[in-house]
Short mmCIF file of all heavy atoms in Angstrom, two decimals:
data_model
loop_
_atom_site.label_atom_id
_atom_site.label_comp_id
_atom_site.label_asym_id
_atom_site.label_seq_id
_atom_site.Cartn_x
_atom_site.Cartn_y
_atom_site.Cartn_z
N TYR A 74 4.31 8.14 71.63
CA TYR A 74 5.25 8.16 70.50
C TYR A 74 4.71 9.06 69.38
O TYR A 74 5.45 9.87 68.82
CB TYR A 74 5.48 6.73 69.99
CG TYR A 74 6.36 6.70 68.77
CD1 TYR A 74 7.74 6.80 68.89
CD2 TYR A 74 5.80 6.57 67.51
CE1 TYR A 74 8.55 6.79 67.77
CE2 TYR A 74 6.61 6.55 66.38
CZ TYR A 74 7.97 6.66 66.52
OH TYR A 74 8.76 6.65 65.41
N GLN A 75 3.45 8.93 69.06
CA GLN A 75 2.88 9.75 68.00
C GLN A 75 2.88 11.22 68.37
O GLN A 75 3.14 12.09 67.52
CB GLN A 75 1.47 9.26 67.67
CG GLN A 75 1.45 7.91 67.00
CD GLN A 75 0.06 7.39 66.78
OE1 GLN A 75 -0.93 8.06 67.09
NE2 GLN A 75 -0.04 6.18 66.25
N LEU A 76 2.59 11.54 69.62
CA LEU A 76 2.63 12.94 70.05
C LEU A 76 4.04 13.50 69.98
O LEU A 76 4.24 14.66 69.59
CB LEU A 76 2.08 13.07 71.47
CG LEU A 76 0.57 12.92 71.62
CD1 LEU A 76 0.18 12.90 73.09
CD2 LEU A 76 -0.16 14.02 70.88
N GLU A 77 5.02 12.70 70.35
CA GLU A 77 6.41 13.16 70.24
C GLU A 77 6.78 13.43 68.79
O GLU A 77 7.51 14.37 68.49
CB GLU A 77 7.35 12.12 70.84
CG GLU A 77 7.29 12.06 72.36
CD GLU A 77 8.12 10.93 72.94
OE1 GLU A 77 8.64 10.09 72.16
OE2 GLU A 77 8.23 10.88 74.17
N GLN A 78 6.29 12.62 67.88
CA GLN A 78 6.56 12.83 66.47
C GLN A 78 5.93 14.12 65.97
O GLN A 78 6.51 14.82 65.14
CB GLN A 78 6.04 11.64 65.64
CG GLN A 78 6.79 10.36 65.89
CD GLN A 78 8.27 10.51 65.62
OE1 GLN A 78 8.66 10.99 64.57
NE2 GLN A 78 9.08 10.13 66.58
N LEU A 79 4.76 14.46 66.47
CA LEU A 79 4.12 15.71 66.07
C LEU A 79 4.85 16.93 66.64
O LEU A 79 4.84 17.99 66.03
CB LEU A 79 2.66 15.72 66.53
CG LEU A 79 1.73 14.77 65.81
CD1 LEU A 79 0.35 14.78 66.46
CD2 LEU A 79 1.63 15.11 64.33
N ARG A 80 5.48 16.78 67.78
CA ARG A 80 6.20 17.90 68.39
C ARG A 80 7.55 18.14 67.74
O ARG A 80 8.12 19.21 67.90
CB ARG A 80 6.40 17.63 69.89
CG ARG A 80 5.13 17.73 70.67
CD ARG A 80 5.38 17.52 72.11
NE ARG A 80 4.13 17.51 72.86
CZ ARG A 80 4.02 17.10 74.09
NH1 ARG A 80 5.07 16.65 74.74
NH2 ARG A 80 2.85 17.13 74.69
N GLU A 81 8.09 17.18 67.04
CA GLU A 81 9.40 17.31 66.41
C GLU A 81 9.22 17.58 64.92
O GLU A 81 9.19 16.68 64.10
CB GLU A 81 10.21 16.03 66.62
CG GLU A 81 10.48 15.70 68.07
CD GLU A 81 11.13 14.35 68.25
OE1 GLU A 81 11.42 13.67 67.24
OE2 GLU A 81 11.34 13.96 69.40
N PRO A 82 9.14 18.87 64.54
CA PRO A 82 8.90 19.19 63.13
C PRO A 82 10.13 18.94 62.24
O PRO A 82 10.00 18.79 61.04
CB PRO A 82 8.54 20.67 63.14
CG PRO A 82 9.14 21.19 64.39
CD PRO A 82 9.18 20.04 65.37
N ASP A 83 11.33 18.90 62.83
CA ASP A 83 12.55 18.72 62.04
C ASP A 83 12.67 17.30 61.50
O ASP A 83 13.25 17.09 60.45
CB ASP A 83 13.79 19.04 62.89
CG ASP A 83 13.79 20.51 63.32
OD1 ASP A 83 13.12 21.32 62.63
OD2 ASP A 83 14.43 20.81 64.33
N GLU A 84 12.15 16.36 62.24
CA GLU A 84 12.29 14.98 61.81
C GLU A 84 11.16 14.61 60.85
O GLU A 84 10.12 15.24 60.80
CB GLU A 84 12.26 14.04 63.03
CG GLU A 84 13.48 14.20 63.92
CD GLU A 84 13.50 13.15 65.01
OE1 GLU A 84 12.88 12.09 64.82
OE2 GLU A 84 14.14 13.40 66.03
N GLU A 85 11.36 13.57 60.15
CA GLU A 85 10.38 13.11 59.17
C GLU A 85 9.16 12.55 59.90
O GLU A 85 9.25 11.68 60.75
CB GLU A 85 11.02 12.01 58.33
CG GLU A 85 10.15 11.54 57.20
CD GLU A 85 10.85 10.47 56.39
OE1 GLU A 85 12.06 10.55 56.22
OE2 GLU A 85 10.14 9.56 55.97
N LEU A 86 7.97 13.07 59.56
CA LEU A 86 6.74 12.65 60.24
C LEU A 86 6.23 11.31 59.75
O LEU A 86 5.44 10.66 60.41
CB LEU A 86 5.65 13.71 60.06
CG LEU A 86 5.89 15.03 60.76
CD1 LEU A 86 4.74 15.99 60.44
CD2 LEU A 86 5.99 14.83 62.25
N SER A 87 6.69 10.85 58.61
CA SER A 87 6.15 9.61 58.06
C SER A 87 6.89 8.39 58.59
O SER A 87 6.63 7.27 58.15
CB SER A 87 6.23 9.64 56.54
OG SER A 87 7.57 9.71 56.13
N ARG A 88 7.81 8.60 59.53
CA ARG A 88 8.54 7.47 60.09
C ARG A 88 7.58 6.52 60.78
O ARG A 88 6.66 6.95 61.45
CB ARG A 88 9.57 7.99 61.08
CG ARG A 88 10.70 7.04 61.35
CD ARG A 88 11.80 7.72 62.10
NE ARG A 88 11.26 8.37 63.30
CZ ARG A 88 12.00 8.87 64.25
NH1 ARG A 88 13.30 8.84 64.16
NH2 ARG A 88 11.47 9.44 65.29
N GLU A 89 7.81 5.23 60.63
CA GLU A 89 6.89 4.25 61.21
C GLU A 89 7.11 4.10 62.69
O GLU A 89 8.22 4.30 63.21
CB GLU A 89 7.07 2.90 60.52
CG GLU A 89 6.59 2.91 59.09
CD GLU A 89 6.67 1.54 58.47
OE1 GLU A 89 6.87 0.56 59.21
OE2 GLU A 89 6.52 1.45 57.25
N SER A 90 6.06 3.70 63.36
CA SER A 90 6.12 3.46 64.80
C SER A 90 6.92 2.21 65.09
O SER A 90 6.83 1.22 64.36
CB SER A 90 4.71 3.30 65.33
OG SER A 90 4.73 2.80 66.63
N PRO A 91 7.71 2.21 66.17
CA PRO A 91 8.46 1.00 66.50
C PRO A 91 7.55 -0.14 66.93
O PRO A 91 7.92 -1.30 66.85
CB PRO A 91 9.37 1.44 67.64
CG PRO A 91 8.71 2.64 68.23
CD PRO A 91 7.97 3.30 67.09
#
Side-chain angles (χ1 to χ4, degrees):
Y74 176 79
Q75 290 175 3
L76 287 173
E77 288 174 353
Q78 293 302 310
L79 290 174
R80 289 182 184 166
E81 299 173 2
D83 297 337
E84 293 187 24
E85 185 179 324
L86 292 178
S87 63
R88 201 169 53 170
E89 291 185 13
S90 168

